[in-house]
Amino acid sequence: MTATFGDFLHPAGQHIAAAVAFRGDLPDDVRCVAVRELGRLVFALAGCFDDLPLPHDLDPAAHRPPSLDTQAVAGARIALRRAARSLRHRTTTTEDAHPVVRHLSAAADHLAAGRDLLQTHFATAPSGARTGTSYWAPAITSRPMTAALLGEIAEHARTLAPWASQLTMTGPIGSGMPAPERRILHSAIGGLWITAAAVEAAQRRHPSSDDARRLLAAIPSSFPPPRRPPGDGEPVTQLCEGIAITAERLRHAALAPARRSPPAMSASWRRGALASAITSHASEIILRTLAERASQLGTDPGIRARLHTAADAMSLAWPAWRGVACEWDILSTGAHAGSGRTAAAAEDHQAVRTTAGLGRLYLPTRLMPEGYDIPYRYTRASGPRTDALLAMYVTATSVSALVTEVLDDLAAAIDAPSTVLGARRNFENPQPGPRRHEPDRRAEPAAEPGAPPQAAQIERVLHSLQITESAMLLRAAAIDQAGSDLLAEASAKSRSRDSLTASPAQPVRQARARAVRVASDDLPRHMPNRDQQPSRHDQRTPALPATATPARPTTTLSRTGNSRSR
Amino acid sequence: MREIVEIGTRLRDAAVLPDLLAASFDAFEIIRMLARSCDHRAPELFAAFMTTADAAVDGREAVTAAPALPAGGSTARASMPAADAGTDEITASLAALGALLHDRLTHSAALAAAPGDQFACAQAADAARRIHDLMARGDDDRDIR
């Protein structure tokens, strides 16, 4: 089982609560050790705080001075850092230590381990810049997740500060801590109070959501789980666990840089398209089978509808990826692969676009029509041909985004273990409202006024152009405000219209189904016509018939399903 | 599938490496085109046909890199299989052609003088073996011919 951040965060909170709940005076020697453990704990809290991007860091393009909240939180970070520095935090706690000491020590250990877990999603470049290395990284650094973690830190600070204050006041007069140490502790307590107050004030205006806190606890470590090969006679629950483990391993493998080694770029992209086509095709069969079974079992109509919508969306995905694979039938990066680093840094589509832009896509001259006398084995692919490939990628990517959204919706409806992945994807996107694919804007509820994607757009553009003239900035702000008001009004009208026309029972299903239909209209049913650079290949790569959606499965994939490995 | 019969004859008749490589290039192209035209015929064989087409591209690319491949255009043509052609018939033909390619290319890899040709033939033979494995029936215990 993969460890999650919650495995450390929750016990840390419980240990802190247990430590401060202790009633009675602490012996002098215990008090000194407790202060040192408190130091470790504050050090761990300060470390977590240091890792967080402040709100202003999240939007460096804003070109605005940080807000008062941001300044206060930044001040709190410094205060907590100073508090951690002031307290001595080198100590070794034995098993027979006082319960308060043991609880503080355990809380510090858990927080440090939790911080380490979060760090597995990032790597630090030689320049010192921290970059995400996992699918979770964008969600972890998103504003809602940052706010949630900030809230946790503030909560701990708020709990510890009064307890630590009490620590300095209890005990016989003239005994216990020396005066200098007492002053240091007072200073540290001040840091804790500042942290708690600043974060609380900031979060009063922008409170962290329950969803963000739940997702924070669900962040897994960024290590692939060990392989679990299928065994004979496994029960369904174990098979399901195995599937989840394999999927997680695949997510890790997909990010492995070795996948895009320069000499094998076009082959890698071709394989990626092949794998996507096959998995989408198999997924459609699975979803249709599940939908049929759900009907037989009389499952909730909402779930049945979502299964059908997901299957319909999947029936668009595999032809799109098949189209990409067909384009790669003839194109190649040959022996002239581009920079591997560039390719590794980007998604396939972007890397292919870059490679095409550099004129490094080729096709075998033997496939050119007779009359082309080219004394090389490969010739450069023409613009229309590479455009066709890129167009297929756009379609495939767009449909895949839709499929992901529909499956996330289905997973949430049936409370599947993968629900957390959908939640994570939601947090990756900085703006509320529709995610990557927006085939039918009217189908989605509009963003709330005050935070629409378009808000403050004009003003930002002016800032990005280094415009500082206050009159122009004011006009931009007025335009943005007017736009925002218009959107709010339109949203309200749209919502009231939808509420009249849509059945309230299944609004999500209808929206998704509409999106699938619109996407279906966009999907080319035939291979692009590449007549501007003819090759004999063009007449020979067959288009997918318009009725190519597979019929209901009749047999298993026996010819390719021989391998037992996951 | 007249093309498969014709290309089989060309592969068997190729007496020198350049001829064999040219015939192999065309054979892989025919396999690719046929696999692509059939991948929607039966949902249970979609993955097999898609992967076969991919292996055919691998084989063709390997042959393209062989120094002994003569210049000139490909003569490969593949007509769409007749609507009434059975899937079993198509897969059996492709499996047989894959087996023949594997046999001839493996033999050539052993005889080729230039390391580039040896490597290209070995790579292409590996792709041909995959095609055979994908298209042959599960109970097909025939040796690769």
Side-chain angles (χ1 to χ4, degrees), chain B residues 22 49-50 97 108 112 128:
Chain B
F49 277 121
M50 284 287 290
L97 185 53
S108 300

Side-chain angles (χ1 to χ4, degrees), chain B residues 63-91:
Chain B
V63 169
T64 305
L69 178 70
S74 166
T75 57
R77 296 281 185 279
S79 53
M80 292 281 281
D84 59 349
T87 306
D88 282 351
E89 186 189 349
I90 296 166
T91 55

